């Protein structure tokens, strides 16, 4: 699933530099491939390929069924080729270099700008796709420099999950502000149980989880050393100082956080809808969901949009590109979005499908509210986002293990702008 980051690692400085360098190299390869793609290999006129990361048997089946319906509607055969999420970019690059690009590529939205920047993707609006019923934030999610390259079928974000029984027993209301969250977490911390769990690990998981606190406080990824970003990181440090947050948080992925919550080791957690199926597997666990608390009452809770987007690579074959656009339009249609979202617990990107989804899964209504105000991580920085992410990962590790937030974020800003 490409809907959320799950890799746990503690990056060393050298590893961070290599990651940024590999992104730059990828951009060069995409640009080169885009220039030579016109000489693509001969293909079956009636068979179209979608490259995605649906390696999970259930997701692969859902996608196959959707592609079968769309293929029948359009009079073609649509096949999927699935690789692990971490390999979609490299697989697409290899296929581009051998002039065998698939007709549609489903990229994680944070990776899409790399291909778009190099001119390797087709503007979906030029292929007839409309964004009329798509919220601006989700349009931005699939855009690069104002051009719409990626259509999302569903999106996700983070929310506050809580154990209803634990909060009820303690007589605590679901927190809506930082002060309320801190106070509730202190009161709910008992024995081996922490008040709250979140991922602050040295990987994209931690950055994904930090953005709601940074953005809701007015912080900006272009200015990591601002007071607003430092205040958000200081709030995490306060939870740690109170003993309400485990010190292991610096090593936890979002999957680890869910494990802690389900084991009764955390009364609340920050996590996403991809955990719902697992949570529902324990009938004795009565959980609820709410928007992530904000610094001040009444403020918008601004979380990160996660998920994948369907793109049409520039192959030089305009006829196939047009049909690929029709395939994307079908897969991202209102009906198909609702079906996919109900299967995956994600929120449909289309406003009409999202409205129907709310009535079908009212227990996740707060998640739809959170999505409505959510932002794309790459909206402001595009292909520059990975450098900021790596810098923030290092900052978490430093600040949560003793360094001041100001010093850690000053260094992060230097790394983000210099690549070192």
């Amino acid at each position: 699933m490409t809907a959320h980051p799950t890799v746990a690692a503690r990056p060393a400085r050298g590893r961070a530099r290599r990651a940024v360098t590999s992104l730059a190299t990828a951009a060069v390869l995409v640009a080169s491939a885009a220039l030579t793609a016109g000489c693509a290999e001969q293909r079956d006129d009636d068979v179209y390929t979608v490259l995605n990361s649906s390696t999970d048997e259930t997701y692969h089946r859902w996608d196959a069924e959707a592609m079968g319906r769309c293929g029948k509607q359009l009079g073609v055969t649509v096949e999927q080729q699935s690789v692990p999420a971490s390999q979609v970019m490299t697989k697409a690059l290899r296929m581009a270099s051998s002039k065998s690009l698939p007709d549609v590529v489903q990229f994680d939205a944070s990776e899409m700008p790399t291909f778009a920047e190099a001119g390797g993707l087709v503007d979906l609006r030029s292929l007839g796709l409309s964004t009329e019923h798509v919220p601006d934030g989700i349009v931005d999610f699939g855009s690069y420099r104002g051009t719409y390259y990626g259509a999302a079928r569903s999106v996700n974000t983070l929310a506050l999950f809580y154990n209803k029984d634990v909060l009820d027993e303690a007589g605590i209301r679901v927190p809506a502000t930082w002060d309320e969250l801190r106070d509730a977490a202190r009161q709910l911390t008992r024995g081996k149980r922490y008040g709250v769990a979140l991922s602050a690990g040295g990987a994209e998981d931690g950055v994904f989880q930090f953005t709601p606190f940074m953005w809701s406080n007015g912080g900006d990824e272009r200015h990591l050393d601002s007071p607003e970003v430092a205040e958000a990181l200081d709030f995490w440090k306060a939870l740690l100082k109170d003993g309400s947050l485990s010190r292991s948080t610096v090593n936890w992925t979002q999957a680890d956080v869910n494990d802690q919550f389900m084991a009764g080791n955390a009364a609340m957690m920050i996590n996403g809808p991809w955990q719902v199926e697992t949570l529902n597997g324990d009938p004795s666990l009565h959980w609820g969901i709410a928007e992530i608390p904000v610094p001040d009452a009444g403020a918008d809770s601004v979380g990160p949009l996660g998920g994948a987007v369907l793109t049409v690579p520039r192959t030089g074959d305009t006829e196939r590109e047009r049909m690929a656009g029709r395939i994307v339009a079908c897969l991202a249609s209102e009906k198909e979005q609702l079906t996919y979202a109900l299967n995956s617990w994600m929120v449909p990107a289309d406003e009409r499908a999202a409205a129907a989804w709310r009535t079908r899964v009212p227990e996740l209504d707060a998640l739809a509210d959170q999505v409505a105000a959510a932002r794309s991580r790459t909206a402001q920085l595009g292909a520059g986002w990975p450098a900021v992410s790596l810098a923030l990962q290092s900052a978490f590790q430093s600040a949560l293990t003793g360094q001041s937030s100001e010093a850690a974020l000053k260094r992060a800003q230097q790394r983000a702008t210099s690549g070192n």
Side-chain angles (χ1 to χ4, degrees), residues 30-333:
V30 174
S32 176
L35 291 173
T36 60
C39 303
E41 64 178 21
Q42 195 68 30
R43 308 184 191 201
D44 187 326
D45 290 342
D46 297 323
V47 179
Y48 288 75
T49 304
V50 178
L51 175 64
N52 63 22
S53 60
S54 299
T55 53
D56 177 87
E57 186 277 331
T58 305
Y59 279 81
H60 194 84
R61 185 181 74 253
W62 292 338
D63 277 336
E65 291 169 353
M67 291 175 197
R69 289 190 294 269
C70 287
K72 183 177 181 179
Q73 177 181 322
L74 297 171
V76 296
T77 299
V78 185
E79 300 175 343
Q80 66 178 319
Q81 183 174 2
S82 302
V83 299
S86 61
Q87 297 177 23
V88 171
M89 174 73 80
T90 53
K91 177 72 173 179
L93 284 168
R94 285 198 301 270
M95 296 176 81
S97 65
S98 63
K99 306 183 183 69
S100 59
L101 273 168
D103 300 287
V104 176
V105 178
Q106 180 175 287
F107 284 114
D108 184 278
S110 64
E111 292 185 332
M112 178 273 293
T114 299
F115 264 68
E117 184 177 49
L121 299 176
V122 180
D123 177 355
L124 294 183
R125 287 194 179 97
S126 73
L127 298 177
L129 274 80
S130 169
T131 58
E132 181 182 358
H133 297 287
V134 183
D136 291 343
I138 300 178
V139 174
D140 290 343
F141 182 65
S143 300
Y144 179 66
R145 293 184 177 175
T147 301
Y148 185 57
Y149 292 111
R153 289 184 291 173
S154 65
V155 293
N156 62 68
T157 190
L158 296 166
L160 179 73
F161 289 74
Y162 57 92
N163 187 311
K164 291 182 177 180
D165 294 336
V166 171
L167 267 68
D168 287 346
E169 183 181 343
I172 293 174
R173 294 186 307 172
V174 179
T177 66
W178 285 5
D179 286 344
E180 291 175 0
L181 176 59
R182 186 176 181 184
D183 184 57
R186 274 196 298 251
Q187 294 185 58
L188 294 168
T189 298
R190 294 286 185 275
K192 69 173 186 177
R193 186 187 70 208
Y194 290 92
V196 64
L198 54 82
S199 169
E204 187 68 17
D205 277 31
V207 178
F208 199 69
Q209 295 227 329
F210 182 64
T211 52
F213 296 89
M214 176 174 73
W215 287 339
S216 297
N217 197 45
D220 189 318
E221 54 268 39
R222 295 169 299 181
H223 307 287
L224 300 180
D225 53 354
S226 71
E228 291 81 6
V229 181
E231 287 171 2
L233 188 49
D234 278 341
F235 179 71
W236 274 17
K237 293 185 70 172
L239 295 173
L240 204 61
K241 182 180 179 181
D242 291 344
S244 305
L245 182 66
S246 171
R247 293 197 175 277
S248 297
T249 190
V250 296
N251 299 314
W252 283 346
T253 65
Q254 294 178 118
D256 295 328
V257 169
N258 193 59
D259 289 343
Q260 295 297 318
F261 182 74
M262 293 191 70
N265 296 331
M268 301 177 287
M269 70 169 177
I270 305 296
N271 227 313
W274 50 87
Q275 308 294 6
V276 169
E277 189 170 359
T278 304
L279 291 170
N280 285 343
D282 182 355
S284 67
L285 178 61
H286 305 131
W287 57 272
I289 188 172
E291 291 186 60
I292 296 175
V294 293
D296 301 301
D300 288 333
S301 183
V302 186
L305 279 173
V309 291
L310 295 166
T311 69
V312 175
R314 190 177 298 281
T315 63
D317 186 332
T318 55
E319 289 297 323
R320 289 191 72 91
E321 289 172 2
R322 277 195 286 271
M323 177 56 74
R326 295 176 67 190
I327 292 169
V328 169
C330 179
L331 292 173
S333 66

Side-chain angles (χ1 to χ4, degrees), residues 350-371:
D350 183 284
E351 292 172 326
R352 299 162 300 178
W357 180 87
R358 282 178 185 262
T359 67
R360 300 281 291 275
V361 283
E363 67 273 22
L364 297 182
D365 196 57
L367 188 69
D369 291 336
Q370 189 86 59
V371 161

